[in-house]
Amino acid sequence: MDFDVSTVTAPAFADPVWEDTHTDYSPGHRPRPVPRGLAADDTEWRTYLQHTPNGWLLRAGSLLETLASGRPIYLMHTTANLAAIRASGQLYQAPGCMVGALYCVLLTPRPAGLRPHNLGAWLLANKAHRDILIFEVTPGGPVPAKGIDYLRLGTVHLASYLDNRAFLTPTEDNQLRAAAVQRIRQAADVLDMLLAVACGTATPADRFLDQLAAAVPLVPFLGYLYFEATSEYLMLHSTGPQTRACAEAGEMNTLLSKDLAFAAVDTMGELFDLALFRPDHARLRELIRQVEPGLVDGVAEYVRHRLAHLFACVALDPSQDASAVTFAQATFDSLIRTAPGLLGQMLFRMVRTSPRYPQLYPAFEQPKASRASAFWNAQGIPAPFNGVIPKGEIGLNMAWPAGARVWTSEVGQGLLHPVEELALTLVPRLSDLRDTALGRARFTLPDGDQRRKH
């Protein structure tokens, strides 16, 4: 399976902030500006990744082929709320890594039915208690090969905080700022090490990973970077039978990342929280041995190089010289100038774990979802995909002007079949926090608790 997306032309209008949060997988993409002093730039890394065993899927594959075709896009969504959806006749945006898009998985039309991506097959096997909806969305033309990268949302989170800090009490605001800076200072040795490695310093991989793992509780965003770099290594380098079968279908083997996450964190099935992903060097080798033994020897060096580079690019302002930045004496104002991405990610996760987050949630999160939807509409993107790597995670843009057709479904021999078409309105407004995995896990109170009413 192969195709050429060089003919896909993005609209001229673009919001530069949201443009920067998307990774362009088209062959003629314009390299992003990166901080000075790095050992490699965006183009060099892209070239390297594309020459890994499965790197061809970064420029070709079922997901990108579907977008480039301009034909209707079919998506699968699992839900535990079908009765409520039927009763209201409405579907709402969902918070998370897709920034308001409804989390879905790609479906590929086949003569006998709709074939789910391997991630969808995993959901069918592990979410059997949930109902499955099928969406058909019509793009009206080729869709740009731009995927949203939640690792690059730090500047968006920072802007959201600066715009909405009046929703915090002065005491809360002061405590939030002080705590964010304090944590970054406490982790300064590790953060400085990441920048040094990104600039070419040779640090032993075992020490690098041990220190990284120890710093994740202070800077939870590092857990997300750690997981994504390790998952990327697995998906790009795997040569096992399962991966070969996925590649023949034009798909990254997303099951590798699922196996990794659930083996690393016992509670991942309750809430997929990558802030808990922090294996040290020995534990990482053990995890990779469980997933694909042949990849054990290369993982530490790959993660060391890749994670350090990603950190420098998403944490620092591109105007900075990475070799000259240090976090030991950081202040809030200096971080805004030098490392707005890191500061934004830190503030975002601290606000999200605040006891008052249920009240702050609409004020802080809705503007992001609305801006993202506006960007997608301007770019002609009805179904934004997870652009950290195109691994099958794709969302439904709930503000897409043409809407989408929706069906309930049944499953037979691994294929989905539409059953009943539902007359639903897609509403570009975030769902109630209590209807999200985060809300249910951390903030929803037991039934009958009267505090819920206030």
Side-chain angles (χ1 to χ4, degrees):
M1 179 180 294
D2 204 354
F3 75 103
D4 180 6
V5 295
S6 61
T7 58
V8 178
T9 303
F13 171 79
D15 180 330
V17 174
W18 284 96
E19 184 76 36
D20 185 64
T21 66
H22 287 70
T23 297
D24 191 343
Y25 285 91
S26 62
H29 80 286
R30 180 180 301 173
R32 283 195 184 100
V34 298
R36 300 188 304 281
L38 299 184
D41 62 20
D42 182 71
T43 301
E44 290 170 313
W45 265 108
R46 180 74 68 93
T47 300
Y48 171 80
L49 296 175
Q50 288 182 347
H51 285 85
T52 56
N54 301 308
W56 65 275
L57 290 165
L58 297 174
R59 60 182 183 274
S62 59
L63 191 152
L64 297 176
E65 182 181 50
T66 297
L67 298 178
S69 73
R71 294 191 294 270
I73 300 169
Y74 294 91
L75 306 172
M76 160 188 154
H77 172 69
T78 64
T79 180
N81 301 310
L82 182 57
I85 291 170
R86 283 181 181 276
S88 69
Q90 296 181 328
L91 271 174
Y92 295 91
Q93 293 174 317
C97 65
M98 303 299 290
V99 199
L102 191 69
Y103 185 91
C104 300
V105 178
L106 187 70
L107 295 170
T108 301
R110 292 288 183 259
L114 294 164
R115 183 186 66 80
H117 185 280
N118 65 84
L119 174 58
W122 183 90
L123 290 171
L124 290 176
N126 290 275
K127 304 284 186 180
H129 60 290
R130 294 200 167 196
D131 291 298
I132 309 296
L133 296 179
I134 295 172
F135 296 95
E136 179 192 76
V137 58
T138 303
V143 178
K146 295 180 179 180
I148 187 162
D149 184 344
Y150 76 94
L151 299 177
R152 301 190 65 86
L153 286 171
T155 53
V156 170
H157 296 321
L158 178 59
S160 177
Y161 159 74
L162 294 173
D163 288 343
N164 297 291
R165 54 188 291 228
F167 287 90
L168 302 169
T169 68
T171 299
E172 286 175 328
D173 193 27
N174 290 334
Q175 290 175 342
L176 177 65
R177 287 178 171 234
V181 173
Q182 181 183 28
R183 286 186 171 207
I184 289 172
R185 283 188 172 192
Q186 289 175 316
D189 287 348
V190 175
L191 302 179
D192 288 353
M193 177 188 69
L194 296 181
L195 294 182
V197 171
C199 293
T201 298
T203 300
D206 55 350
R207 188 176 75 188
F208 176 94
L209 291 173
D210 288 346
Q211 292 183 357
L212 171 70
V216 171
L218 284 173
V219 184
F221 177 58
L222 294 178
Y224 293 74
L225 280 169
Y226 192 0
F227 174 77
E228 293 294 352
T230 308
S231 296
E232 179 185 84
Y233 170 77
L234 287 171
M235 289 185 285
L236 291 178
H237 292 84
S238 172
T239 56
Q242 183 187 69
T243 300
R244 290 198 299 271
C246 291
E248 289 175 3
E251 299 173 0
M252 291 282 184
N253 183 2
T254 309
L255 306 180
L256 295 168
S257 65
K258 290 294 185 184
D259 291 343
L260 174 69
F262 284 86
V265 181
D266 291 339
T267 59
M268 204 64 93
E270 300 169 21
L271 178 66
F272 201 82
D273 185 0
L274 294 177
L276 302 177
F277 186 84
R278 49 179 187 265
D280 61 17
H281 175 254
R283 177 59 175 155
L284 180 64
R285 288 179 60 87
E286 180 184 337
L287 290 171
I288 301 303
R289 187 173 290 110
Q290 294 176 30
V291 176
E292 189 160 332
L295 297 180
V296 170
D297 290 340
V299 64
E301 273 300 310
Y302 182 91
V303 171
R304 182 178 79 90
H305 284 289
R306 184 61 171 152
L307 188 150
H309 176 81
L310 289 174
F311 174 77
C313 291
V314 303
L316 300 185
D317 188 274
S319 67
Q320 297 300 303
D321 182 343
S323 65
V325 174
T326 179
F327 294 99
Q329 300 299 322
T331 65
F332 194 90
D333 290 341
S334 71
L335 289 168
I336 285 180
R337 295 190 304 272
T338 60
L342 173 61
L343 180 59
Q345 294 284 4
M346 180 67 78
L347 292 168
F348 167 64
R349 281 163 180 80
M350 293 179 73
V351 169
R352 197 171 65 170
T353 56
S354 162
R356 213 160 63 80
Y357 186 63
Q359 183 181 8
L360 301 174
Y361 162 75
F364 279 78
E365 305 304 334
Q366 186 62 63
K368 300 175 196 174
S370 297
R371 288 290 296 275
S373 296
F375 176 83
W376 295 329
N377 284 349
Q379 293 281 304
I381 300 175
F385 66 96
N386 186 340
V388 176
I389 191 168
K391 57 187 179 184
E393 295 177 314
I394 188 167
L396 177 63
N397 174 4
M398 303 299 280
W400 185 244
R405 298 181 70 183
V406 190
W407 292 267
T408 60
S409 71
E410 61 182 13
V411 183
Q413 298 183 326
L415 300 176
L416 268 62
H417 305 274
V419 175
E420 174 193 359
E421 185 165 7
L422 304 177
L424 299 181
T425 300
L426 306 186
V427 182
R429 185 176 77 243
L430 287 176
S431 59
D432 190 297
L433 183 61
R434 291 172 295 183
D435 295 329
T436 70
L438 176 65
R440 288 191 296 270
R442 291 185 178 161
F443 300 107
T444 300
L445 300 172
D447 288 342
D449 192 322
Q450 295 301 306
R451 288 176 296 168
R452 177 179 293 176
K453 298 179 180 179
H454 298 286

